Amino acid sequence: MLTIDRELRFTLFGLENALGVEFDVAAVEQVFMHEVEHGSADGNYILYESLRVRVLAYVEEYEPETVWLTVENLKGDEVKAADIAERAHYQILRMEQFEKLYPNY
């Protein structure tokens, strides 16, 4: 489960690279825009789907600020979504530290 924020964007970018795919931009932005505009993005979103890989996002109505990601990788390649999300988290921390040190950059 991830918060719908820029850390999610880094996680999605990492997943795209790990899987070698491009997510449906409209579906990704729909998750972000519904949460911003309506305070809710409840529903299912297909971020990517092929014969071998499917990436789904699910936002529950009672937790509209978070999203569940599901990666179904039928190619047999191991993709550790949790590791990618953790790396995205640390990237955000580095960015925030930089922004504090150099607020006018």
Side-chain angles (χ1 to χ4, degrees), residues 3-102:
T3 303
I4 299 173
D5 58 11
R6 65 183 182 173
E7 188 171 320
L8 175 60
R9 288 199 186 274
F10 275 94
T11 301
L12 294 176
F13 177 71
L15 282 172
E16 282 182 315
N17 285 297
L19 294 168
V21 302
E22 289 184 32
F23 292 157
D24 179 343
V25 174
V28 171
E29 292 309 316
Q30 192 174 18
V31 172
F32 284 92
M33 292 310 297
H34 282 226
E35 201 279 329
V36 169
E37 291 178 355
H38 307 292
S40 174
D42 60 308
N44 293 302
Y45 303 91
I46 299 171
L47 305 183
Y48 182 82
E49 187 170 36
S50 71
L51 294 175
R52 298 190 171 268
V53 177
R54 185 163 58 169
V55 181
L56 307 170
Y58 176 70
V59 181
E60 296 175 334
E61 184 178 353
Y62 64 91
E63 286 192 70
E65 70 282 349
T66 60
V67 63
W68 291 91
L69 292 179
T70 303
V71 178
E72 297 173 2
N73 188 1
L74 305 176
K75 295 190 308 187
D77 299 334
E78 185 177 354
V79 176
K80 295 183 179 180
D83 290 346
I84 293 170
E86 183 177 352
R87 290 179 183 145
H89 174 73
Y90 287 115
Q91 180 62 30
I92 294 298
L93 291 177
R94 287 194 296 268
M95 286 176 56
E96 289 172 351
Q97 184 179 30
F98 179 83
E99 290 168 349
K100 286 179 185 176
L101 291 172
Y102 304 100

